[in-house]
Amino acid sequence: MARGINKLSALAVQKAKDPGYYGDGGGLWLQVSKLGGKSWVFRYTRNGKTHDMGLGPVHTVSLSEARSKSLEHRKSLLEGIDPLEAKKAKQQAAKLEAVRHKTFKECAPAYIQANRAGWKTPKHVQQWENTLEAYAYPIIGELAIGAVDTNLVLKVLQQQVGSPSEPAQFWYTKAETASRLRGRIENILDWATFRGYRQGENPARWKGHLEHELPARSKVQKVEHHASLPYAEAPAFMRELGKRKGVSARGIVAVDEDVDPTDMNQVLWAMATRATPSDDIDILRNTRGSPLDPAQNPPEKRFFGSKALINACKDYRNIRNFPVRTLLRPTVYERVRERWSDLGLPGEAPVVSAFDNALDFHE
């Protein structure tokens, strides 16, 4: 009766020359390639699919060693463990062990370098580097990237800032900066997981995680608008502005009190929705200029110029019928901001400083 296992001998392995497979039994095969190379293969079937698992070349792994490995894999199959999956998991664990000392401070610049080409300006890169240097590195910078957990992320976001006599929590005092930093930490940790430097859920994610501990940015950030300049005072202001040293101003925009004059996005919105070019733009000619103004040539003309006065206020003649301004709800903004990168949009979500808190409710 032929043996079911241990069919091959050391001499038979040595003499095998023809390309093909030579069975030893129990799923162990000797593979001879067309070029004459010899290696061991463990062949098994799992869930109706046949798999070949390499065990090493003959010149490195002996016949007895190949049989021992084959026996270990057969035992694993009896316990419901896929040998190939177990091998991949072991390799991944070894890889993580090899990079376990890669710190957060090492990973952050690598992430920035990998993504800076998709960011709009060098200023964006500088903002990343500055916030990480000021608030994240002192706490988690020297820690292994895989060791950063929820408590450490909260330690960064809830750290005390300000003077020792008047300490304040980072998340409440600098809500916008803290919120952006949280997103940056989340991106760095996601990148580290992608590169195999860490495993598990992202402890810096907002949805379904940190939102249970920290209030939304829109709930804690208080927006205080600067007072708008009364329209009637605009000419006097322009005259005073013209006396300042430097390149002279090109114009002034008058906005209503519901528009933050320091927020360029809101000012541009008011100009686009409330100003009619044919009626609401006045040109002030022969106004005070500046010898530094490059737009005025020849140089002797630079002491005089012109300015545009733009009325971006509601049309008072139709004030009763003027459309009501609609504002974004904080809850909608937070949902969009959290999914900004998932939606394939570049950079970070734009900053919104005006919300309709009266309509802020959970749907």
Side-chain angles (χ1 to χ4, degrees), residues 4-185:
I5 58 174
N6 300 340
K7 298 177 182 179
L8 299 175
S9 64
L11 183 60
V13 172
Q14 183 180 357
K15 289 185 176 182
K17 304 294 182 182
D18 296 333
Y21 289 85
Y22 300 80
D24 184 60
L28 179 62
W29 295 81
L30 170 67
Q31 180 186 31
V32 180
S33 69
K34 294 180 179 180
L35 298 178
K38 299 178 183 179
S39 60
W40 300 107
V41 174
F42 177 68
R43 179 171 293 173
Y44 65 98
T45 301
R46 184 173 174 80
N47 297 327
K49 187 176 180 179
T50 300
H51 303 272
D52 282 356
M53 181 178 181
L55 303 181
V58 169
H59 60 72
T60 303
V61 180
S62 67
L63 174 60
S64 60
E65 290 173 335
R67 286 171 175 169
S68 296
K69 289 186 176 184
S70 176
L71 177 60
E72 291 177 5
H73 296 327
R74 291 198 300 272
K75 289 181 178 180
S76 295
L77 288 169
L78 285 176
E79 296 176 358
I81 300 174
D82 189 316
L84 275 174
E85 293 298 326
K87 181 180 179 180
K88 292 178 182 177
K90 186 176 180 181
Q91 291 173 340
Q92 180 66 17
K95 183 179 179 181
L96 287 172
E97 180 67 18
V99 298
R100 71 185 187 278
H101 295 301
K102 200 161 186 74
T103 66
F104 180 87
K105 195 172 183 178
E106 292 174 324
C107 290
Y111 171 83
I112 293 174
Q113 182 62 33
N115 291 272
R116 66 188 306 157
W119 293 341
K120 293 181 179 180
T121 64
K123 183 180 179 181
H124 191 69
V125 177
Q126 186 179 11
Q127 290 172 341
W128 269 71
E129 294 172 341
N130 290 345
T131 53
L132 290 170
E133 185 71 37
Y135 303 108
Y137 290 165
I139 297 176
I140 61 176
E142 302 302 326
L143 297 179
I145 192 74
V148 178
D149 58 13
T150 301
N151 288 331
L152 287 169
V153 173
L154 287 173
K155 188 175 181 180
V156 172
L157 300 178
Q158 295 176 330
Q159 63 182 289
Q160 296 298 312
V161 296
S163 63
S165 59
E166 297 182 358
Q169 192 180 113
F170 181 39
W171 186 260
Y172 291 94
T173 305
K174 300 183 178 182
E176 180 61 35
T177 302
S179 179
R180 287 184 178 274
L181 179 62
R182 182 211 61 77
R184 289 163 185 168
I185 294 174

Side-chain angles (χ1 to χ4, degrees), residues 122-336:
K123 183 180 179 181
H124 191 69
V125 177
Q126 186 179 11
Q127 290 172 341
W128 269 71
E129 294 172 341
N130 290 345
T131 53
L132 290 170
E133 185 71 37
Y135 303 108
Y137 290 165
I139 297 176
I140 61 176
E142 302 302 326
L143 297 179
I145 192 74
V148 178
D149 58 13
T150 301
N151 288 331
L152 287 169
V153 173
L154 287 173
K155 188 175 181 180
V156 172
L157 300 178
Q158 295 176 330
Q159 63 182 289
Q160 296 298 312
V161 296
S163 63
S165 59
E166 297 182 358
Q169 192 180 113
F170 181 39
W171 186 260
Y172 291 94
T173 305
K174 300 183 178 182
E176 180 61 35
T177 302
S179 179
R180 287 184 178 274
L181 179 62
R182 182 211 61 77
R184 289 163 185 168
I185 294 174
E186 181 181 14
N187 287 336
I188 293 169
L189 295 180
D190 275 343
W191 174 86
T193 302
F194 163 73
R195 293 299 299 267
Y197 299 150
R198 60 175 285 117
Q199 287 181 319
E201 296 290 337
N202 193 320
R205 73 185 187 279
W206 177 259
K207 192 67 175 178
H209 191 58
L210 292 182
E211 66 174 349
H212 298 305
E213 171 82 10
L214 302 171
R217 181 189 63 82
S218 58
K219 296 289 187 180
V220 299
Q221 185 178 37
K222 303 300 181 182
V223 179
E224 297 182 1
H225 293 173
H226 293 266
S228 300
L229 179 70
Y231 183 74
E233 299 178 14
F237 175 78
M238 293 302 298
R239 287 193 295 271
E240 178 63 26
L241 189 63
K243 298 177 183 179
R244 303 292 179 90
K245 293 182 178 180
V247 178
S248 60
R250 288 289 177 267
I252 186 169
V253 181
V255 295
D256 291 305
E257 61 181 5
D258 63 340
V259 175
D260 183 358
T262 66
D263 188 332
M264 185 54 64
N265 287 330
Q266 292 193 41
V267 173
L268 292 175
W269 171 84
M271 293 171 60
T273 60
R274 298 181 178 180
T276 303
S278 61
D279 300 330
D280 296 322
I281 300 179
D282 292 327
I283 304 300
L284 306 179
R285 294 177 172 82
N286 296 317
T287 59
R288 175 74 177 181
S290 168
L292 301 178
D293 191 346
Q296 297 295 332
N297 285 294
E300 54 267 23
K301 291 186 176 182
R302 292 181 179 176
F303 289 95
F304 300 94
S306 62
K307 295 176 176 63
L309 182 59
I310 303 174
N311 177 16
C313 300
K314 299 176 184 177
D315 184 359
Y316 190 77
R317 295 168 298 181
N318 301 304
I319 193 68
R320 294 184 177 181
N321 298 323
F322 201 88
V324 178
R325 181 185 180 188
T326 58
L327 296 177
L328 185 65
R329 296 200 305 270
T331 51
V332 175
Y333 172 72
E334 291 296 336
R335 289 201 299 268
V336 174

